[in-house]
Amino acid sequence: MGATPKDDGNSQKAPATLYLEMLESVYGSYKAAKDALKYSYDKSFRGFAATLSPSHVQQLSGMDGVVSVFESKKLKTLTTRSWDFVGLPASVQSNSLAYQSDIIIGLLDTGIWPESESFTDEGFGPVPSKWRGGCQTTPDFSACNKKLVGAKFYRSFTSSPPEGDFLSPRDGEGHGTHTSSTSTGNFINNASLYGIAQGESRGGVPGARVAMYKVCWTGEGCGDADILAAFDDAIYDGVDILSVSLGYPFPLDYFQDSIAIGAFHAIQKGILVSNSAGNSGPSRASVANYSPWSLTVAASTIDRKMDAELQLGNNISIGGIAINTYTMEKQWYPLVYGGDVANVSGGYTPDSSRGCLLGSLDETKVKGKIVVCNFISSPPDYSVFVAGGAGAVIINDGFNDTAFPWLNPATIISTEQAKIVLSYINSTSSPIAIIQKTTTPKAPAPIVASFSSRGFNPITHDILKPDITAPGVDILASWSTNISLTGYAEDTRFASFNIISGTSMSCPHAAGAAGFVKSYHSDWSPAAIKSALLTTAFVMDETLPGNADVEFGYGAGQINPLKAVDPGLVYDAGVDDYINMLCSEGYNDTTLRLVTGDFSSCDLVPPSKNGARELNYPSIMVLTAPGKSFQAKFPRTVTNVGVAKSTYKAIVSAPSGINVTVEPDTLSFSSLNQKLSYNVTIEGGSLNTDTLLSGALTWSYGNYTVRSPISVYALSL
């Protein structure tokens, strides 16, 4: 039901009373209405969650004051080296702890493990006076502290937790603990996963405070009703940055999308929301969380890989990918191919046993041996373990950039590598091998992860998404100690750190970077912080494998937090700018006024020929029809936050065959916070369908390089 109305001097009904009256009108009784109501949203915006039939939905949708009615869908949850890799060393973080102590980063996630060293409050001063949140204590979650300042949980439609989880803010699956420590965790020396990736663990703003809003539950996902309730609380509580590593698997209109709704109300209160881009890559237009007012974060690698080497008895070594925490006891183990050891008496054939499906392996031929398996339909490590195998070599071309832990010693090899292994097995009567514990050699980086969702923006085509990329592959961070590394009951490995991958890991990196910037510039708007991160981003090498999707893969580039503190110029924008964009996208006055809580009107917005291109965005996106010439205009305004008297020159790197004109091409500032405007015109001839071209506009002065990526894409819509 939109924003909380601004006080106009007239008395208004209490929100809960209004919501019950609305429900009573469709249910026909007050008691039924009260039983149906699950949440009242009334702290930061208006609305409610309730049990409704299709006819109730239809009736409510037509009532005055209702922006949208939508089903509470389930969303999915989408470090020692990573902060050094993005240019933010521990020494710099240590020197700025005093600035960080007033920053509060909130997370909507699976909960938090409060006993983790990442969240102890030794050395922390009093909780910032602006904080209005609370700590929801239960028998298994006794208290918060001066580091972990808030913790709440949300479970709208049942009062019992799923198996293995807790009816409290405690994290039952590790995800929220991992993301929290990535964004805000304390300095921890000698962190590792059984000796792998050993080093100092820390968040982007280790001196900041953390608040957890548990909206996701083990095996169930995260409900829209709970997400909106958490946004309502977090905005009111006083967080500075929100990290939301959740997303839908399909595009939704902005005001049918609980994260876009919550993020819109957050920016109204000056809160930047960092969102995962999604894990549905590398398909085009698979990006999640694409609203222009959110920071959408892709995932990329850091300069190390997880190498679990397979050594064969013929002195050939093959580099595999896995998080193998085991050191195998013997020097060598017999090596067999799954297709050669079928459980024939159980009715299985080599066609099923080659995939090491559960029950398909002959235990008498597998026990104590390393088994080579084709990855067909399910991870084969469990079936090899049950059959008594000593380890597994898994053939799969889909896991070439992301490592996983397995139940037993294991490594992943490619189809080409498998030819060498199978040839060796067939060349001798007694093939032998050993799988080495994982090491972390150097690797080219950053490279966009294959799973990271790609652009273009499925709703507002002229806004480039994702915005930026951050480390999200093989990230070591804190973990819940109630769950084993693989989640299998047979797995006896429990650790306070774990290595996992996803845009869920890159999102808190960006949130931490945003918190780091805000610790120096407490008065900057969400758009200014976002601009600083985008225009100072590390420029990616598009020639590296994995970066071929250019800006559709990584946006402006990889986060560079230290440089973002002093960006020179910023592209600022406020709520009114987003309202103007929504008007250009066809939203009407009624919807706008309900969402904003004031008398916003598209009648007050001059008609726009350029639509969303007029939003003062730090990147430039042109989506054009194939086979036709095109011209696109982009007005932009920059604010001087660098040197008072400064003159910036425009440097254009135009995409091949495209003409880019900047007027004026020189911006001369005489004071700080001065604003100057310019126009970009992009013209080109006929392009073939699915042509993606990449360029950039950079404003240069002294050591300042304020870079905006330019993307041109041809597609029939």
Side-chain angles (χ1 to χ4, degrees), residues 83 86 88 93 105 182-183 203-205 241 272 274 295 468 470 506-520 529 533 559-562 564-565:
W83 288 110
V86 299
L88 189 57
Q93 292 174 313
I105 293 185
T182 299
S183 65
V205 273
I241 306 289
L272 176 65
S274 178
L295 176 65
I468 203 164
S506 59
C507 173
H509 273 95
F516 185 74
V517 173
K518 191 172 180 67
S519 71
Y520 286 89
I529 295 172
L533 291 171
I559 58 168
N560 189 347
L562 195 55
V565 168

PDB file of all heavy atoms in Angstrom, residues 83 86 88 93 105 182-183 203-205 241 272 274 295 468 470 506-520 529 533 559-562 564-565:
ATOM      1  N   TRP A  83      39.336  -9.425   0.011  1.00  0.00           N
ATOM      2  CA  TRP A  83      39.452  -7.977   0.225  1.00  0.00           C
ATOM      3  C   TRP A  83      40.815  -7.454  -0.213  1.00  0.00           C
ATOM      4  O   TRP A  83      40.922  -6.341  -0.742  1.00  0.00           O
ATOM      5  CB  TRP A  83      39.166  -7.614   1.683  1.00  0.00           C
ATOM      6  CG  TRP A  83      37.709  -7.754   2.006  1.00  0.00           C
ATOM      7  CD1 TRP A  83      37.124  -8.690   2.803  1.00  0.00           C
ATOM      8  CD2 TRP A  83      36.640  -6.967   1.480  1.00  0.00           C
ATOM      9  NE1 TRP A  83      35.761  -8.531   2.818  1.00  0.00           N
ATOM     10  CE2 TRP A  83      35.432  -7.472   2.014  1.00  0.00           C
ATOM     11  CE3 TRP A  83      36.574  -5.878   0.609  1.00  0.00           C
ATOM     12  CZ2 TRP A  83      34.187  -6.934   1.711  1.00  0.00           C
ATOM     13  CZ3 TRP A  83      35.327  -5.333   0.311  1.00  0.00           C
ATOM     14  CH2 TRP A  83      34.154  -5.856   0.852  1.00  0.00           C
ATOM     15  N   VAL A  86      40.672  -6.991  -4.044  1.00  0.00           N
ATOM     16  CA  VAL A  86      39.984  -5.799  -4.563  1.00  0.00           C
ATOM     17  C   VAL A  86      40.639  -4.507  -4.076  1.00  0.00           C
ATOM     18  O   VAL A  86      40.072  -3.425  -4.215  1.00  0.00           O
ATOM     19  CB  VAL A  86      38.476  -5.806  -4.219  1.00  0.00           C
ATOM     20  CG1 VAL A  86      37.796  -7.001  -4.841  1.00  0.00           C
ATOM     21  CG2 VAL A  86      38.245  -5.757  -2.707  1.00  0.00           C
ATOM     22  N   LEU A  88      41.737  -3.552  -0.914  1.00  0.00           N
ATOM     23  CA  LEU A  88      41.412  -3.009   0.402  1.00  0.00           C
ATOM     24  C   LEU A  88      42.169  -3.809   1.456  1.00  0.00           C
ATOM     25  O   LEU A  88      41.636  -4.742   2.067  1.00  0.00           O
ATOM     26  CB  LEU A  88      39.906  -3.075   0.660  1.00  0.00           C
ATOM     27  CG  LEU A  88      39.379  -2.358   1.911  1.00  0.00           C
ATOM     28  CD1 LEU A  88      39.752  -0.885   1.903  1.00  0.00           C
ATOM     29  CD2 LEU A  88      37.874  -2.525   2.030  1.00  0.00           C
ATOM     30  N   GLN A  93      41.962  -0.844   6.484  1.00  0.00           N
ATOM     31  CA  GLN A  93      40.761  -1.065   7.287  1.00  0.00           C
ATOM     32  C   GLN A  93      41.028  -0.760   8.758  1.00  0.00           C
ATOM     33  O   GLN A  93      40.193  -0.145   9.435  1.00  0.00           O
ATOM     34  CB  GLN A  93      40.283  -2.505   7.125  1.00  0.00           C
ATOM     35  CG  GLN A  93      39.754  -2.826   5.730  1.00  0.00           C
ATOM     36  CD  GLN A  93      39.437  -4.295   5.574  1.00  0.00           C
ATOM     37  OE1 GLN A  93      40.229  -5.146   5.938  1.00  0.00           O
ATOM     38  NE2 GLN A  93      38.266  -4.593   5.034  1.00  0.00           N
ATOM     39  N   ILE A 105      25.317  -2.357   9.119  1.00  0.00           N
ATOM     40  CA  ILE A 105      24.923  -3.084   7.912  1.00  0.00           C
ATOM     41  C   ILE A 105      23.908  -4.146   8.290  1.00  0.00           C
ATOM     42  O   ILE A 105      24.160  -4.997   9.152  1.00  0.00           O
ATOM     43  CB  ILE A 105      26.141  -3.723   7.222  1.00  0.00           C
ATOM     44  CG1 ILE A 105      27.061  -2.610   6.680  1.00  0.00           C
ATOM     45  CG2 ILE A 105      25.707  -4.659   6.096  1.00  0.00           C
ATOM     46  CD1 ILE A 105      28.230  -3.099   5.868  1.00  0.00           C
ATOM     47  N   THR A 182      31.348 -11.718   5.696  1.00  0.00           N
ATOM     48  CA  THR A 182      31.968 -11.158   4.494  1.00  0.00           C
ATOM     49  C   THR A 182      31.823  -9.644   4.449  1.00  0.00           C
ATOM     50  O   THR A 182      32.755  -8.926   4.077  1.00  0.00           O
ATOM     51  CB  THR A 182      31.345 -11.774   3.228  1.00  0.00           C
ATOM     52  OG1 THR A 182      31.574 -13.185   3.229  1.00  0.00           O
ATOM     53  CG2 THR A 182      31.944 -11.173   1.966  1.00  0.00           C
ATOM     54  N   SER A 183      30.680  -9.148   4.846  1.00  0.00           N
ATOM     55  CA  SER A 183      30.450  -7.700   4.794  1.00  0.00           C
ATOM     56  C   SER A 183      31.034  -6.977   5.999  1.00  0.00           C
ATOM     57  O   SER A 183      31.602  -5.889   5.871  1.00  0.00           O
ATOM     58  CB  SER A 183      28.950  -7.404   4.708  1.00  0.00           C
ATOM     59  OG  SER A 183      28.288  -7.819   5.889  1.00  0.00           O
ATOM     60  N   GLY A 203      35.721  -8.723   7.267  1.00  0.00           N
ATOM     61  CA  GLY A 203      34.716  -8.139   6.398  1.00  0.00           C
ATOM     62  C   GLY A 203      35.228  -6.858   5.763  1.00  0.00           C
ATOM     63  O   GLY A 203      36.344  -6.409   6.020  1.00  0.00           O
ATOM     64  N   GLY A 204      34.383  -6.250   4.921  1.00  0.00           N
ATOM     65  CA  GLY A 204      34.766  -4.996   4.276  1.00  0.00           C
ATOM     66  C   GLY A 204      34.858  -3.845   5.249  1.00  0.00           C
ATOM     67  O   GLY A 204      35.680  -2.947   5.086  1.00  0.00           O
ATOM     68  N   VAL A 205      34.005  -3.870   6.271  1.00  0.00           N
ATOM     69  CA  VAL A 205      34.028  -2.851   7.330  1.00  0.00           C
ATOM     70  C   VAL A 205      34.040  -3.574   8.679  1.00  0.00           C
ATOM     71  O   VAL A 205      33.015  -3.672   9.356  1.00  0.00           O
ATOM     72  CB  VAL A 205      32.832  -1.868   7.231  1.00  0.00           C
ATOM     73  CG1 VAL A 205      33.141  -0.721   6.304  1.00  0.00           C
ATOM     74  CG2 VAL A 205      31.559  -2.576   6.781  1.00  0.00           C
ATOM     75  N   ILE A 241      23.211   0.411   5.425  1.00  0.00           N
ATOM     76  CA  ILE A 241      23.325  -0.361   4.195  1.00  0.00           C
ATOM     77  C   ILE A 241      22.570  -1.659   4.410  1.00  0.00           C
ATOM     78  O   ILE A 241      22.607  -2.235   5.500  1.00  0.00           O
ATOM     79  CB  ILE A 241      24.808  -0.700   3.861  1.00  0.00           C
ATOM     80  CG1 ILE A 241      25.677   0.568   3.826  1.00  0.00           C
ATOM     81  CG2 ILE A 241      24.903  -1.488   2.548  1.00  0.00           C
ATOM     82  CD1 ILE A 241      25.423   1.485   2.650  1.00  0.00           C
ATOM     83  N   LEU A 272      21.194   2.449   1.070  1.00  0.00           N
ATOM     84  CA  LEU A 272      21.551   1.734  -0.151  1.00  0.00           C
ATOM     85  C   LEU A 272      21.320   0.242   0.050  1.00  0.00           C
ATOM     86  O   LEU A 272      21.683  -0.321   1.080  1.00  0.00           O
ATOM     87  CB  LEU A 272      23.020   1.975  -0.506  1.00  0.00           C
ATOM     88  CG  LEU A 272      23.560   1.200  -1.721  1.00  0.00           C
ATOM     89  CD1 LEU A 272      22.874   1.644  -2.992  1.00  0.00           C
ATOM     90  CD2 LEU A 272      25.069   1.368  -1.841  1.00  0.00           C
ATOM     91  N   SER A 274      22.192  -3.447  -1.488  1.00  0.00           N
ATOM     92  CA  SER A 274      23.028  -4.270  -2.367  1.00  0.00           C
ATOM     93  C   SER A 274      22.314  -5.588  -2.602  1.00  0.00           C
ATOM     94  O   SER A 274      21.902  -6.258  -1.654  1.00  0.00           O
ATOM     95  CB  SER A 274      24.397  -4.505  -1.720  1.00  0.00           C
ATOM     96  OG  SER A 274      25.206  -5.340  -2.527  1.00  0.00           O
ATOM     97  N   LEU A 295      21.639  -1.678  -6.075  1.00  0.00           N
ATOM     98  CA  LEU A 295      22.973  -1.999  -6.566  1.00  0.00           C
ATOM     99  C   LEU A 295      22.978  -3.490  -6.866  1.00  0.00           C
ATOM    100  O   LEU A 295      22.863  -4.321  -5.961  1.00  0.00           O
ATOM    101  CB  LEU A 295      24.025  -1.658  -5.513  1.00  0.00           C
ATOM    102  CG  LEU A 295      25.478  -2.026  -5.853  1.00  0.00           C
ATOM    103  CD1 LEU A 295      25.978  -1.218  -7.049  1.00  0.00           C
ATOM    104  CD2 LEU A 295      26.388  -1.805  -4.641  1.00  0.00           C
ATOM    105  N   ILE A 468      27.761  -4.004 -11.304  1.00  0.00           N
ATOM    106  CA  ILE A 468      29.165  -4.164 -10.926  1.00  0.00           C
ATOM    107  C   ILE A 468      29.393  -5.623 -10.565  1.00  0.00           C
ATOM    108  O   ILE A 468      28.432  -6.384 -10.386  1.00  0.00           O
ATOM    109  CB  ILE A 468      29.485  -3.228  -9.721  1.00  0.00           C
ATOM    110  CG1 ILE A 468      30.981  -2.901  -9.631  1.00  0.00           C
ATOM    111  CG2 ILE A 468      28.935  -3.787  -8.419  1.00  0.00           C
ATOM    112  CD1 ILE A 468      31.271  -1.707  -8.727  1.00  0.00           C
ATOM    113  N   ALA A 470      31.836  -8.401  -8.010  1.00  0.00           N
ATOM    114  CA  ALA A 470      32.649  -8.501  -6.793  1.00  0.00           C
ATOM    115  C   ALA A 470      32.993  -9.968  -6.585  1.00  0.00           C
ATOM    116  O   ALA A 470      32.367 -10.856  -7.166  1.00  0.00           O
ATOM    117  CB  ALA A 470      31.877  -7.942  -5.592  1.00  0.00           C
ATOM    118  N   SER A 506      29.102 -12.359  -3.524  1.00  0.00           N
ATOM    119  CA  SER A 506      29.539 -11.070  -4.075  1.00  0.00           C
ATOM    120  C   SER A 506      28.712  -9.907  -3.528  1.00  0.00           C
ATOM    121  O   SER A 506      29.235  -8.807  -3.314  1.00  0.00           O
ATOM    122  CB  SER A 506      29.470 -11.088  -5.605  1.00  0.00           C
ATOM    123  OG  SER A 506      28.159 -11.353  -6.067  1.00  0.00           O
ATOM    124  N   CYS A 507      27.429 -10.146  -3.282  1.00  0.00           N
ATOM    125  CA  CYS A 507      26.541  -9.096  -2.766  1.00  0.00           C
ATOM    126  C   CYS A 507      27.052  -8.485  -1.460  1.00  0.00           C
ATOM    127  O   CYS A 507      27.144  -7.252  -1.339  1.00  0.00           O
ATOM    128  CB  CYS A 507      25.135  -9.670  -2.603  1.00  0.00           C
ATOM    129  SG  CYS A 507      23.951  -8.575  -1.795  1.00  0.00           S
ATOM    130  N   PRO A 508      27.429  -9.287  -0.439  1.00  0.00           N
ATOM    131  CA  PRO A 508      27.957  -8.664   0.794  1.00  0.00           C
ATOM    132  C   PRO A 508      29.323  -8.023   0.608  1.00  0.00           C
ATOM    133  O   PRO A 508      29.689  -7.132   1.385  1.00  0.00           O
ATOM    134  CB  PRO A 508      28.004  -9.834   1.786  1.00  0.00           C
ATOM    135  CG  PRO A 508      28.053 -11.064   0.947  1.00  0.00           C
ATOM    136  CD  PRO A 508      27.239 -10.739  -0.272  1.00  0.00           C
ATOM    137  N   HIS A 509      30.100  -8.464  -0.394  1.00  0.00           N
ATOM    138  CA  HIS A 509      31.337  -7.739  -0.702  1.00  0.00           C
ATOM    139  C   HIS A 509      31.007  -6.303  -1.121  1.00  0.00           C
ATOM    140  O   HIS A 509      31.655  -5.341  -0.678  1.00  0.00           O
ATOM    141  CB  HIS A 509      32.103  -8.442  -1.828  1.00  0.00           C
ATOM    142  CG  HIS A 509      33.033  -9.523  -1.357  1.00  0.00           C
ATOM    143  ND1 HIS A 509      32.668 -10.842  -1.321  1.00  0.00           N
ATOM    144  CD2 HIS A 509      34.297  -9.474  -0.893  1.00  0.00           C
ATOM    145  CE1 HIS A 509      33.686 -11.566  -0.860  1.00  0.00           C
ATOM    146  NE2 HIS A 509      34.686 -10.757  -0.591  1.00  0.00           N
ATOM    147  N   ALA A 510      30.011  -6.157  -1.994  1.00  0.00           N
ATOM    148  CA  ALA A 510      29.622  -4.818  -2.436  1.00  0.00           C
ATOM    149  C   ALA A 510      29.000  -4.018  -1.303  1.00  0.00           C
ATOM    150  O   ALA A 510      29.215  -2.804  -1.186  1.00  0.00           O
ATOM    151  CB  ALA A 510      28.658  -4.916  -3.612  1.00  0.00           C
ATOM    152  N   ALA A 511      28.219  -4.692  -0.444  1.00  0.00           N
ATOM    153  CA  ALA A 511      27.638  -4.003   0.715  1.00  0.00           C
ATOM    154  C   ALA A 511      28.739  -3.512   1.642  1.00  0.00           C
ATOM    155  O   ALA A 511      28.681  -2.391   2.169  1.00  0.00           O
ATOM    156  CB  ALA A 511      26.687  -4.932   1.456  1.00  0.00           C
ATOM    157  N   GLY A 512      29.757  -4.351   1.859  1.00  0.00           N
ATOM    158  CA  GLY A 512      30.886  -3.933   2.682  1.00  0.00           C
ATOM    159  C   GLY A 512      31.632  -2.763   2.071  1.00  0.00           C
ATOM    160  O   GLY A 512      32.034  -1.824   2.770  1.00  0.00           O
ATOM    161  N   ALA A 513      31.812  -2.806   0.730  1.00  0.00           N
ATOM    162  CA  ALA A 513      32.468  -1.683   0.042  1.00  0.00           C
ATOM    163  C   ALA A 513      31.646  -0.414   0.179  1.00  0.00           C
ATOM    164  O   ALA A 513      32.194   0.677   0.407  1.00  0.00           O
ATOM    165  CB  ALA A 513      32.675  -2.040  -1.431  1.00  0.00           C
ATOM    166  N   ALA A 514      30.317  -0.542   0.054  1.00  0.00           N
ATOM    167  CA  ALA A 514      29.440   0.625   0.213  1.00  0.00           C
ATOM    168  C   ALA A 514      29.515   1.172   1.634  1.00  0.00           C
ATOM    169  O   ALA A 514      29.551   2.393   1.851  1.00  0.00           O
ATOM    170  CB  ALA A 514      28.002   0.241  -0.127  1.00  0.00           C
ATOM    171  N   GLY A 515      29.562   0.269   2.621  1.00  0.00           N
ATOM    172  CA  GLY A 515      29.710   0.709   4.007  1.00  0.00           C
ATOM    173  C   GLY A 515      31.033   1.410   4.242  1.00  0.00           C
ATOM    174  O   GLY A 515      31.106   2.382   4.999  1.00  0.00           O
ATOM    175  N   PHE A 516      32.093   0.921   3.579  1.00  0.00           N
ATOM    176  CA  PHE A 516      33.409   1.554   3.698  1.00  0.00           C
ATOM    177  C   PHE A 516      33.364   2.980   3.154  1.00  0.00           C
ATOM    178  O   PHE A 516      33.884   3.919   3.776  1.00  0.00           O
ATOM    179  CB  PHE A 516      34.441   0.717   2.947  1.00  0.00           C
ATOM    180  CG  PHE A 516      35.859   1.198   3.102  1.00  0.00           C
ATOM    181  CD1 PHE A 516      36.553   1.003   4.287  1.00  0.00           C
ATOM    182  CD2 PHE A 516      36.497   1.849   2.059  1.00  0.00           C
ATOM    183  CE1 PHE A 516      37.861   1.447   4.433  1.00  0.00           C
ATOM    184  CE2 PHE A 516      37.810   2.300   2.194  1.00  0.00           C
ATOM    185  CZ  PHE A 516      38.487   2.097   3.383  1.00  0.00           C
ATOM    186  N   VAL A 517      32.715   3.164   2.004  1.00  0.00           N
ATOM    187  CA  VAL A 517      32.589   4.506   1.425  1.00  0.00           C
ATOM    188  C   VAL A 517      31.751   5.399   2.336  1.00  0.00           C
ATOM    189  O   VAL A 517      32.098   6.554   2.595  1.00  0.00           O
ATOM    190  CB  VAL A 517      31.975   4.434   0.010  1.00  0.00           C
ATOM    191  CG1 VAL A 517      31.689   5.839  -0.529  1.00  0.00           C
ATOM    192  CG2 VAL A 517      32.908   3.680  -0.941  1.00  0.00           C
ATOM    193  N   LYS A 518      30.636   4.866   2.833  1.00  0.00           N
ATOM    194  CA  LYS A 518      29.753   5.673   3.682  1.00  0.00           C
ATOM    195  C   LYS A 518      30.432   6.060   4.990  1.00  0.00           C
ATOM    196  O   LYS A 518      30.114   7.110   5.563  1.00  0.00           O
ATOM    197  CB  LYS A 518      28.447   4.921   3.961  1.00  0.00           C
ATOM    198  CG  LYS A 518      27.379   5.802   4.618  1.00  0.00           C
ATOM    199  CD  LYS A 518      26.050   5.108   4.711  1.00  0.00           C
ATOM    200  CE  LYS A 518      25.001   6.015   5.365  1.00  0.00           C
ATOM    201  NZ  LYS A 518      24.658   7.185   4.532  1.00  0.00           N
ATOM    202  N   SER A 519      31.377   5.253   5.467  1.00  0.00           N
ATOM    203  CA  SER A 519      32.071   5.600   6.704  1.00  0.00           C
ATOM    204  C   SER A 519      32.879   6.883   6.551  1.00  0.00           C
ATOM    205  O   SER A 519      33.157   7.572   7.532  1.00  0.00           O
ATOM    206  CB  SER A 519      32.980   4.442   7.140  1.00  0.00           C
ATOM    207  OG  SER A 519      34.103   4.297   6.289  1.00  0.00           O
ATOM    208  N   TYR A 520      33.253   7.221   5.321  1.00  0.00           N
ATOM    209  CA  TYR A 520      33.963   8.473   5.044  1.00  0.00           C
ATOM    210  C   TYR A 520      33.013   9.596   4.621  1.00  0.00           C
ATOM    211  O   TYR A 520      33.362  10.769   4.727  1.00  0.00           O
ATOM    212  CB  TYR A 520      34.990   8.259   3.932  1.00  0.00           C
ATOM    213  CG  TYR A 520      36.221   7.498   4.345  1.00  0.00           C
ATOM    214  CD1 TYR A 520      36.255   6.112   4.264  1.00  0.00           C
ATOM    215  CD2 TYR A 520      37.349   8.151   4.841  1.00  0.00           C
ATOM    216  CE1 TYR A 520      37.388   5.398   4.644  1.00  0.00           C
ATOM    217  CE2 TYR A 520      38.476   7.452   5.220  1.00  0.00           C
ATOM    218  CZ  TYR A 520      38.494   6.073   5.124  1.00  0.00           C
ATOM    219  OH  TYR A 520      39.606   5.374   5.504  1.00  0.00           O
ATOM    220  N   ILE A 529      26.833   6.977  -3.460  1.00  0.00           N
ATOM    221  CA  ILE A 529      27.705   5.856  -3.084  1.00  0.00           C
ATOM    222  C   ILE A 529      27.780   4.851  -4.221  1.00  0.00           C
ATOM    223  O   ILE A 529      28.858   4.362  -4.582  1.00  0.00           O
ATOM    224  CB  ILE A 529      27.191   5.193  -1.791  1.00  0.00           C
ATOM    225  CG1 ILE A 529      27.289   6.170  -0.621  1.00  0.00           C
ATOM    226  CG2 ILE A 529      27.972   3.917  -1.492  1.00  0.00           C
ATOM    227  CD1 ILE A 529      26.632   5.674   0.648  1.00  0.00           C
ATOM    228  N   LEU A 533      31.155   3.715  -6.498  1.00  0.00           N
ATOM    229  CA  LEU A 533      31.590   2.336  -6.714  1.00  0.00           C
ATOM    230  C   LEU A 533      31.691   2.005  -8.203  1.00  0.00           C
ATOM    231  O   LEU A 533      32.652   1.364  -8.645  1.00  0.00           O
ATOM    232  CB  LEU A 533      30.624   1.359  -6.027  1.00  0.00           C
ATOM    233  CG  LEU A 533      30.623   1.369  -4.498  1.00  0.00           C
ATOM    234  CD1 LEU A 533      29.478   0.520  -3.962  1.00  0.00           C
ATOM    235  CD2 LEU A 533      31.948   0.854  -3.948  1.00  0.00           C
ATOM    236  N   ILE A 559      34.572  -4.141  -8.052  1.00  0.00           N
ATOM    237  CA  ILE A 559      34.627  -3.120  -6.996  1.00  0.00           C
ATOM    238  C   ILE A 559      36.071  -2.766  -6.632  1.00  0.00           C
ATOM    239  O   ILE A 559      36.955  -3.605  -6.621  1.00  0.00           O
ATOM    240  CB  ILE A 559      33.868  -3.557  -5.731  1.00  0.00           C
ATOM    241  CG1 ILE A 559      34.432  -4.876  -5.169  1.00  0.00           C
ATOM    242  CG2 ILE A 559      32.385  -3.630  -5.960  1.00  0.00           C
ATOM    243  CD1 ILE A 559      33.939  -5.214  -3.783  1.00  0.00           C
ATOM    244  N   ASN A 560      36.261  -1.478  -6.332  1.00  0.00           N
ATOM    245  CA  ASN A 560      37.568  -0.955  -5.929  1.00  0.00           C
ATOM    246  C   ASN A 560      37.320   0.007  -4.764  1.00  0.00           C
ATOM    247  O   ASN A 560      37.318   1.230  -4.939  1.00  0.00           O
ATOM    248  CB  ASN A 560      38.218  -0.235  -7.115  1.00  0.00           C
ATOM    249  CG  ASN A 560      39.659   0.156  -6.857  1.00  0.00           C
ATOM    250  OD1 ASN A 560      40.128   0.124  -5.726  1.00  0.00           O
ATOM    251  ND2 ASN A 560      40.366   0.528  -7.914  1.00  0.00           N
ATOM    252  N   PRO A 561      37.046  -0.534  -3.553  1.00  0.00           N
ATOM    253  CA  PRO A 561      36.543   0.291  -2.443  1.00  0.00           C
ATOM    254  C   PRO A 561      37.434   1.470  -2.081  1.00  0.00           C
ATOM    255  O   PRO A 561      36.932   2.567  -1.784  1.00  0.00           O
ATOM    256  CB  PRO A 561      36.455  -0.699  -1.276  1.00  0.00           C
ATOM    257  CG  PRO A 561      36.427  -2.043  -1.909  1.00  0.00           C
ATOM    258  CD  PRO A 561      37.220  -1.938  -3.160  1.00  0.00           C
ATOM    259  N   LEU A 562      38.733   1.274  -2.079  1.00  0.00           N
ATOM    260  CA  LEU A 562      39.639   2.341  -1.660  1.00  0.00           C
ATOM    261  C   LEU A 562      39.563   3.527  -2.613  1.00  0.00           C
ATOM    262  O   LEU A 562      39.517   4.684  -2.192  1.00  0.00           O
ATOM    263  CB  LEU A 562      41.067   1.801  -1.579  1.00  0.00           C
ATOM    264  CG  LEU A 562      42.088   2.665  -0.832  1.00  0.00           C
ATOM    265  CD1 LEU A 562      41.617   2.984   0.571  1.00  0.00           C
ATOM    266  CD2 LEU A 562      43.441   1.960  -0.803  1.00  0.00           C
ATOM    267  N   ALA A 564      37.006   4.216  -4.486  1.00  0.00           N
ATOM    268  CA  ALA A 564      35.644   4.761  -4.446  1.00  0.00           C
ATOM    269  C   ALA A 564      35.461   5.803  -3.347  1.00  0.00           C
ATOM    270  O   ALA A 564      34.523   6.611  -3.405  1.00  0.00           O
ATOM    271  CB  ALA A 564      34.639   3.633  -4.257  1.00  0.00           C
ATOM    272  N   VAL A 565      36.314   5.800  -2.343  1.00  0.00           N
ATOM    273  CA  VAL A 565      36.229   6.807  -1.278  1.00  0.00           C
ATOM    274  C   VAL A 565      36.470   8.206  -1.831  1.00  0.00           C
ATOM    275  O   VAL A 565      35.930   9.196  -1.319  1.00  0.00           O
ATOM    276  CB  VAL A 565      37.244   6.468  -0.163  1.00  0.00           C
ATOM    277  CG1 VAL A 565      37.399   7.623   0.813  1.00  0.00           C
ATOM    278  CG2 VAL A 565      36.810   5.209   0.573  1.00  0.00           C
TER     279      VAL A 565
END
